[in-house]
Every structure is written in structure tokens, then in C-alpha cells.
Amino acid sequence: MSKLKDQFKLGEAFGYFFRIFSKPDPSKPTNFNIKTMHVINKISILMFLMCVIVMIYRAFFR
């Protein structure tokens, strides 16, 4: 049972989701590549959420 429970742990995924939209930690190193990666990730997460909302809207109102 514990192996099955381990497969569905989403703590790291949600932790990243909240961490990417928060203020950057000044103690961690940063450079242009990391900043660019985080901006692209933010854009992709927002686009994904927008598409999910559109799909739900279309499913209920068509």
C-alpha cells in the first residue's frame, strides 16, 4: 500500500508551482538561463490553466 501511496505524492509538484510564483530566494544562485527557464515555465503553466478552463467551459456550455 505504501508503494501505491508513493506514486501519487504531489508535494514536489505543488511546491514547485507555489515556489515559481513567489519572490525569488536571494540565497540561491541565479543567472540569465535560470531566470529565462522560470519565465518560460510561468508562461506554460498559465497557458495550460487557461486551456483547461476553456475546455471545461466548452464541455458544460455546448
Side-chain angles (χ1 to χ4, degrees):
M1 183 67 173
S2 65
K3 286 185 180 183
L4 183 62
K5 231 177 172 181
D6 291 339
Q7 296 297 321
F8 291 101
K9 283 188 178 178
L10 297 175
E12 289 184 28
F14 286 122
Y16 178 76
F17 180 74
F18 291 121
R19 190 174 65 236
I20 197 167
F21 288 106
S22 65
K23 286 182 133 181
D25 188 9
S27 66
K28 293 189 178 182
T30 181
N31 60 24
F32 177 76
N33 293 332
I34 293 176
K35 287 180 185 179
T36 305
M37 179 193 68
H38 286 298
V39 169
I40 292 171
N41 285 344
K42 287 178 189 179
I43 292 169
S44 65
I45 289 170
L46 292 174
M47 287 180 64
F48 173 76
L49 292 175
M50 187 172 66
C51 291
V52 168
I53 291 169
V54 168
M55 289 173 59
I56 292 171
Y57 174 81
R58 286 184 178 181
F60 285 115
F61 294 110
R62 281 196 171 186

